[in-house]
Amino acid sequence: FGLNRDKLEEAPKGALVTVSGILEQRTSAKDEPFVEVKTRVLRLHARPKGYDPSEGKEALAAWLKRPGNNVTSEAARRRGTWTHSQIEAWIRGEPTQKSFAFGAYWRNVRPWLEQHFVEALAIEKAVWPPRGFAGTLDCLGYCTWGEHPDALAIMDWKTSQRQRSGALLDDYFAQLGAYRMAAAYTYGITATRGVLVIARPHAGGPDVHELSPQQLDAAEAAFLRRLDAYYAMPDDTVAP
């Protein structure tokens, strides 16, 4: 598995941002034509109280910056980033760390990795399809978990104190669909299943979900509908 050098030359400067538990806001769709996967796009369906989607993209960014409106708390972002770093280090064969605050999540997911993880073709790779979004996929590779253990998987690592379901789980699936499509464009290789691994702060093992090719197709379509809805919003100007 190698980088597509032609596609690297096409990478939008300054638009390749991490999605590892960090919510980042864009200032203007005109100045920044690529939006990050895990920001406003995945939240458009929520219709949050106090925000009118007709107000435009910058108004949404301003709404998200208000106290109490962040989708993910700072503690959850730090927890996710730390756990991602341990998983990445383990995959690379590097030493892992201990954490009093977040160590339970790593202890929860490590046995699953030891039992099921096989090989990584790409870890924390930037992707930027021409549909107008960019991000960083967690892992493209193989694991033995699920109904199709020999199929190439797009894998995503999450952390959560509680079992996830409903709209938030749909967000995670949409993200996998977006990354599958983006990796196919950027690197010329297409995953045929998705594996979502959610580390929990207990000893019972992570919550794991497998998406079939058909489910990934549906997840990709759901993400693109949200992306189109975002770009259909009017541009606007919000005073600082």
Side-chain angles (χ1 to χ4, degrees):
F1 180 82
L3 295 177
N4 185 322
R5 298 298 174 182
D6 293 335
K7 297 290 176 57
L8 279 175
E9 293 301 319
E10 299 173 12
K13 305 304 181 185
L16 303 180
V17 292
T18 182
V19 297
S20 299
I22 301 174
L23 295 173
E24 297 194 15
Q25 301 305 320
R26 292 303 188 189
T27 57
S28 169
K30 289 182 177 179
D31 297 334
E32 297 279 4
F34 282 69
V35 295
E36 194 264 336
V37 173
K38 194 181 173 186
T39 58
R40 294 169 282 179
V41 176
L42 291 181
R43 299 295 167 178
L44 286 180
H45 71 290
R47 296 291 190 254
K49 182 178 180 180
Y51 168 70
D52 179 1
S54 66
E55 292 179 2
K57 303 179 183 71
E58 292 184 12
L60 177 54
W63 183 89
L64 286 169
K65 290 178 181 179
R66 296 175 187 171
N69 288 343
N70 286 331
V71 174
T72 307
S73 69
E74 179 62 28
R77 287 194 289 269
R78 290 189 286 109
R79 177 186 75 207
T81 299
W82 184 87
T83 305
H84 271 76
S85 69
Q86 303 316 299
I87 295 173
E88 182 179 352
W90 183 89
I91 292 174
R92 296 184 186 278
E94 300 170 353
T96 58
Q97 301 173 349
K98 295 181 180 181
S99 169
F100 178 80
F102 308 131
Y105 294 90
W106 172 230
R107 292 191 296 272
N108 172 271
V109 74
R110 180 168 184 164
W112 185 92
L113 291 168
E114 292 173 340
Q115 181 177 357
H116 297 291
F117 191 84
V118 176
E119 180 185 10
L121 303 185
I123 308 170
E124 293 291 321
K125 290 295 186 182
V127 290
W128 54 93
R131 287 299 301 264
F133 69 93
T136 305
L137 61 85
D138 285 349
C139 183
L140 185 65
Y142 295 92
C143 70
T144 61
W145 192 92
E147 296 183 2
H148 307 283
D150 296 327
L152 179 63
I154 188 83
M155 297 180 234
D156 201 50
W157 322 118
K158 303 293 185 187
T159 63
S160 178
Q161 292 181 338
R162 298 172 297 279
Q163 187 175 40
R164 295 302 190 183
S165 62
L168 186 54
L169 202 56
D170 288 342
D171 285 350
Y172 294 162
F173 293 163
Q175 192 175 354
L176 279 171
Y179 284 153
R180 193 268 305 259
M181 176 184 66
Y185 171 81
T186 309
Y187 302 116
I189 187 167
T190 302
T192 53
R193 67 173 178 147
V195 177
L196 172 66
V197 182
I198 307 176
R200 304 281 302 283
H202 56 61
D207 297 336
V208 187
H209 303 267
E210 181 183 37
L211 275 69
S212 68
Q214 295 76 20
Q215 289 172 316
L216 276 177
D217 289 343
E220 177 184 316
F223 174 82
L224 291 177
R225 285 194 296 271
R226 298 186 195 183
L227 186 69
D228 290 342
Y230 171 79
Y231 279 114
M233 293 169 63
D235 294 321
D236 55 11
T237 301
V238 176

